[in-house]
Amino acid sequence: MKKKVLLMGKSGSGKTSMRSIIFANYIARDTRRLGATIDVEHSHVKFLGNLVLNLWDCGGQEAFMENYFASQRDNIFRNVEVLIYVFDVESREIEKDLRYYQSCLEAIIQNSPEAKVFCLIHKMDLIQEDQRDIIFHDREIELKRCSKPIDCTCFRTSIWDETLYKAWSSIVYKLIPNVKELEISLSHFANIIDADEVLLFERATFLVISHYELRPHRDTHRFEKVSNIIKQFKLSCSKVAAQFQSMEVRNSKFAAFIDVFTPNTYVMVQTSDPRIPSAATLISIRNAKKHFEKLEKESQSSFVK
């Protein structure tokens, strides 16, 4: 099953860089080599087996933007599942950016009224740290006002930290049809093995696609931090012709296990009970694989339908 995702925003706002980091295994510093997107660049990203994200990265030069709303309007905005609009937080043409965004919304309402809309306030690393919350909050209020009657979801992002993974994990989560069944199964699994938390990652991107928390954790950004760290570690392994398979981290307060789970996922299990031996947790992970592989196959058959 293909799901059309529109990636739009002004030229230089960072659309292609973030796409390359999430889906093409770029690291942040390597994105400086990327040139401006000319017209529309199509890419098909296989995600969770049979789910294919049909990404339309739309060049943001003024001539292209005008063309999208005129001669290419139906082609661009028809059958869209998700619109991701990227705003450069340091743009000096905010009013023009908002006009283009509202033109996109008008075309979406006309051609794909059920599409989900996400706004990324990007390059937040360029803003002083003590000003980021204030600026993001102000932009979010303005965007939600401009988006009515559509309900948009806003994220602050930067290619230099974990915020990019938080945004894209949240977006992809909305595209997974059986995510509730996954969460129910993860909750049963966590309770059976007395894990503090269980996370499920998509294998290629390492985006978090589902999780269950049995005991509260104070770090609300831990998912995207783990995604970012492990993705970078996987890339480091590939550079020396090694393949990342699994990892165990243990100290006096907790133990965390990351392992291949199904053909399209990794799992992370975190425990804080020092009485639980590593071997017991690893056996539990291995025993749970068959159930989650079955869920994955059911999900893939639903994609085909």
Side-chain angles (χ1 to χ4, degrees), residues 43-87:
S43 57
H44 294 82
V45 180
K46 198 171 183 182
F47 194 89
L48 281 180
N50 287 358
L51 174 60
V52 176
L53 303 184
N54 184 9
L55 281 170
W56 293 42
D57 184 355
C58 302
Q61 294 90 332
E62 197 164 330
F64 295 142
M65 294 291 275
E66 296 293 347
N67 200 27
Y68 301 150
F69 306 131
S71 61
Q72 293 191 64
R73 186 182 185 92
D74 290 347
N75 181 45
I76 295 285
F77 294 99
R78 189 188 299 123
N79 300 323
V80 175
E81 291 278 344
V82 167
L83 167 65
I84 303 169
Y85 203 97
V86 183
F87 291 89

Side-chain angles (χ1 to χ4, degrees), residues 66-112:
E66 296 293 347
N67 200 27
Y68 301 150
F69 306 131
S71 61
Q72 293 191 64
R73 186 182 185 92
D74 290 347
N75 181 45
I76 295 285
F77 294 99
R78 189 188 299 123
N79 300 323
V80 175
E81 291 278 344
V82 167
L83 167 65
I84 303 169
Y85 203 97
V86 183
F87 291 89
D88 181 345
V89 72
E90 287 208 316
S91 172
R92 296 182 181 179
E93 299 180 306
I94 294 176
E95 289 187 8
K96 182 186 283 189
D97 295 344
L98 288 174
R99 282 201 305 273
Y100 280 136
Y101 171 61
Q102 287 181 309
S103 296
C104 282
L105 293 185
E106 289 170 9
I108 284 289
I109 290 171
Q110 182 182 359
N111 292 278
S112 302

Side-chain angles (χ1 to χ4, degrees), residues 5-11 15-16 37-41 55-61 64-65 68 76-77:
V5 178
L6 278 189
L7 188 56
M8 304 194 79
K10 190 174 70 173
S11 180
K15 303 182 297 297
T16 304
T37 301
I38 304 301
D39 201 11
V40 181
E41 192 171 304
L55 281 170
W56 293 42
D57 184 355
C58 302
Q61 294 90 332
F64 295 142
M65 294 291 275
Y68 301 150
I76 295 285
F77 294 99

Side-chain angles (χ1 to χ4, degrees), residues 77-277:
F77 294 99
R78 189 188 299 123
N79 300 323
V80 175
E81 291 278 344
V82 167
L83 167 65
I84 303 169
Y85 203 97
V86 183
F87 291 89
D88 181 345
V89 72
E90 287 208 316
S91 172
R92 296 182 181 179
E93 299 180 306
I94 294 176
E95 289 187 8
K96 182 186 283 189
D97 295 344
L98 288 174
R99 282 201 305 273
Y100 280 136
Y101 171 61
Q102 287 181 309
S103 296
C104 282
L105 293 185
E106 289 170 9
I108 284 289
I109 290 171
Q110 182 182 359
N111 292 278
S112 302
E114 300 300 316
K116 299 173 181 66
V117 177
F118 297 88
C119 293
L120 307 188
I121 315 301
H122 197 46
K123 303 185 181 180
M124 289 295 291
D125 56 285
L126 301 177
I127 304 298
Q128 279 184 241
E129 195 166 350
D130 61 350
Q131 293 295 307
R132 290 175 190 172
D133 287 346
I134 297 168
I135 289 174
F136 174 73
H137 182 65
D138 289 346
R139 295 287 174 88
E140 182 179 34
I141 290 172
E142 178 67 8
L143 285 170
K144 284 186 174 292
R145 184 189 65 79
C146 292
S147 300
K148 291 180 179 178
I150 288 177
D151 182 23
C152 76
T153 304
C154 300
F155 294 97
R156 69 187 83 189
T157 54
S158 166
I159 64 171
W160 299 100
D161 61 28
E162 67 277 356
T163 55
L164 193 62
Y165 286 87
K166 178 180 177 63
W168 279 90
S169 288
S170 300
I171 292 166
V172 167
Y173 178 89
K174 299 289 186 181
L175 296 172
I176 300 171
N178 69 331
V179 72
K180 295 302 179 187
E181 288 87 345
L182 274 176
E183 288 173 346
I184 291 169
S185 292
L186 283 180
S187 71
H188 292 330
F189 180 46
N191 279 281
I192 289 168
I193 66 173
D194 195 29
D196 293 22
E197 190 165 56
V198 180
L199 279 69
L200 208 58
F201 300 92
E202 199 278 327
R203 191 163 182 167
T205 61
F206 238 82
L207 294 174
V208 176
I209 55 173
S210 187
H211 80 281
Y212 179 76
E213 178 184 319
L214 193 60
R215 298 176 184 88
H217 197 290
R218 64 187 178 188
D219 187 352
T220 57
H221 303 292
R222 62 196 180 282
F223 300 159
E224 50 269 26
K225 286 178 181 176
V226 172
S227 289
N228 195 13
I229 291 167
I230 299 299
K231 182 80 176 285
Q232 300 306 315
F233 182 67
K234 279 183 67 184
L235 292 175
S236 299
C237 290
S238 65
K239 288 179 180 177
V240 293
Q243 190 171 4
F244 176 76
Q245 175 80 18
S246 61
M247 176 185 292
E248 177 180 345
V249 179
R250 180 180 287 274
N251 61 24
S252 59
K253 294 184 178 180
F254 76 94
F257 305 83
I258 299 175
D259 204 353
V260 172
F261 203 42
T262 71
N264 297 297
T265 62
Y266 277 86
V267 70
M268 174 175 163
V269 174
Q270 182 190 325
T271 63
S272 58
D273 187 345
R275 296 170 299 174
I276 301 175

Side-chain angles (χ1 to χ4, degrees), residues 252-302:
S252 59
K253 294 184 178 180
F254 76 94
F257 305 83
I258 299 175
D259 204 353
V260 172
F261 203 42
T262 71
N264 297 297
T265 62
Y266 277 86
V267 70
M268 174 175 163
V269 174
Q270 182 190 325
T271 63
S272 58
D273 187 345
R275 296 170 299 174
I276 301 175
S278 298
T281 302
L282 292 171
I283 289 170
S284 297
I285 291 172
R286 190 163 64 245
N287 289 340
K289 284 183 180 182
K290 285 185 179 178
H291 173 73
F292 283 89
E293 285 172 354
K294 182 182 175 184
L295 273 181
E296 194 170 279
K297 286 178 182 176
E298 289 172 356
S299 173
Q300 290 177 1
S301 65
S302 71

